[in-house]
Amino acid sequence: MYIVETVSWTAKTGVEAEQMIDAVEKMVPDLQKVPGFRYQSLSLKESIQGDNSEDASSQWLQLYYWDTVETAHNSNAIMAPTDSLNHLISLIEPDSIAIDIFTPLQQSSPLTVD
């Protein structure tokens, strides 16, 4: 099983979903060079019916899959100087970023990465 890193944040006011998706897509080639990187996905929080707040539509979650806890931690130093990560960070409210690393204890089936 791979280690799961979660990164959540709120987009700055006025940042469109397409801008965020594009920024993450441009970051993937840099991520693929990081030892231990396996896969990533980006998700946008769904608004709850009746929730018209802009905050609900700007909350993002990115999942990263790594070989080990160590490779997950080491990725931060490797990615920090990249233009792609710095561009993504420019779209995010800095105080909203939360990063956690989880060790899976159960899975329904193995993750297959193409």
mmCIF file of all heavy atoms in Angstrom, residues 10 26 34 47 50 61 71 76 84:
data_model
loop_
_atom_site.group_PDB
_atom_site.id
_atom_site.type_symbol
_atom_site.label_atom_id
_atom_site.label_comp_id
_atom_site.label_asym_id
_atom_site.label_seq_id
_atom_site.Cartn_x
_atom_site.Cartn_y
_atom_site.Cartn_z
ATOM 1 N N THR A 10 -7.855 26.722 0.434
ATOM 2 C CA THR A 10 -8.899 27.567 -0.121
ATOM 3 C C THR A 10 -8.261 28.460 -1.169
ATOM 4 O O THR A 10 -7.199 29.043 -0.938
ATOM 5 C CB THR A 10 -9.544 28.434 0.983
ATOM 6 O OG1 THR A 10 -10.068 27.569 1.991
ATOM 7 C CG2 THR A 10 -10.652 29.311 0.426
ATOM 8 N N LYS A 26 0.230 21.497 -14.623
ATOM 9 C CA LYS A 26 1.592 21.936 -14.950
ATOM 10 C C LYS A 26 2.599 21.476 -13.899
ATOM 11 O O LYS A 26 3.793 21.426 -14.171
ATOM 12 C CB LYS A 26 1.632 23.452 -15.112
ATOM 13 C CG LYS A 26 0.951 23.898 -16.387
ATOM 14 C CD LYS A 26 0.970 25.383 -16.574
ATOM 15 C CE LYS A 26 0.319 25.721 -17.913
ATOM 16 N NZ LYS A 26 0.053 27.134 -18.059
ATOM 17 N N VAL A 34 10.089 13.360 -8.777
ATOM 18 C CA VAL A 34 10.364 13.215 -7.346
ATOM 19 C C VAL A 34 10.399 11.732 -6.984
ATOM 20 O O VAL A 34 9.440 11.010 -7.258
ATOM 21 C CB VAL A 34 9.307 13.950 -6.503
ATOM 22 C CG1 VAL A 34 9.554 13.735 -5.018
ATOM 23 C CG2 VAL A 34 9.287 15.438 -6.839
ATOM 24 N N SER A 47 -20.657 22.019 -3.225
ATOM 25 C CA SER A 47 -21.510 22.853 -2.391
ATOM 26 C C SER A 47 -22.687 22.029 -1.900
ATOM 27 O O SER A 47 -23.265 21.253 -2.658
ATOM 28 C CB SER A 47 -22.028 24.052 -3.187
ATOM 29 O OG SER A 47 -20.965 24.858 -3.594
ATOM 30 N N GLY A 50 -28.292 24.520 -0.854
ATOM 31 C CA GLY A 50 -28.653 25.659 -0.029
ATOM 32 C C GLY A 50 -27.446 26.445 0.459
ATOM 33 O O GLY A 50 -27.597 27.506 1.039
ATOM 34 N N LEU A 61 -8.891 19.808 -2.355
ATOM 35 C CA LEU A 61 -8.175 18.716 -1.711
ATOM 36 C C LEU A 61 -7.347 18.005 -2.770
ATOM 37 O O LEU A 61 -7.877 17.582 -3.804
ATOM 38 C CB LEU A 61 -9.152 17.720 -1.071
ATOM 39 C CG LEU A 61 -8.518 16.460 -0.485
ATOM 40 C CD1 LEU A 61 -7.646 16.810 0.729
ATOM 41 C CD2 LEU A 61 -9.591 15.453 -0.115
ATOM 42 N N THR A 71 9.574 9.481 1.653
ATOM 43 C CA THR A 71 9.513 10.132 0.340
ATOM 44 C C THR A 71 8.460 11.234 0.323
ATOM 45 O O THR A 71 8.629 12.254 -0.342
ATOM 46 C CB THR A 71 9.267 9.118 -0.796
ATOM 47 O OG1 THR A 71 8.062 8.386 -0.547
ATOM 48 C CG2 THR A 71 10.430 8.166 -0.951
ATOM 49 N N ASN A 76 8.581 17.772 -0.195
ATOM 50 C CA ASN A 76 8.391 19.204 0.051
ATOM 51 C C ASN A 76 9.637 20.002 -0.302
ATOM 52 O O ASN A 76 9.563 21.037 -0.966
ATOM 53 C CB ASN A 76 7.992 19.448 1.503
ATOM 54 C CG ASN A 76 6.657 18.819 1.822
ATOM 55 O OD1 ASN A 76 5.769 18.757 0.989
ATOM 56 N ND2 ASN A 76 6.521 18.317 3.033
ATOM 57 N N SER A 84 6.438 25.575 -10.938
ATOM 58 C CA SER A 84 5.073 25.051 -10.978
ATOM 59 C C SER A 84 4.401 25.102 -9.601
ATOM 60 O O SER A 84 3.245 25.505 -9.488
ATOM 61 C CB SER A 84 5.059 23.622 -11.530
ATOM 62 O OG SER A 84 5.780 22.744 -10.691
#
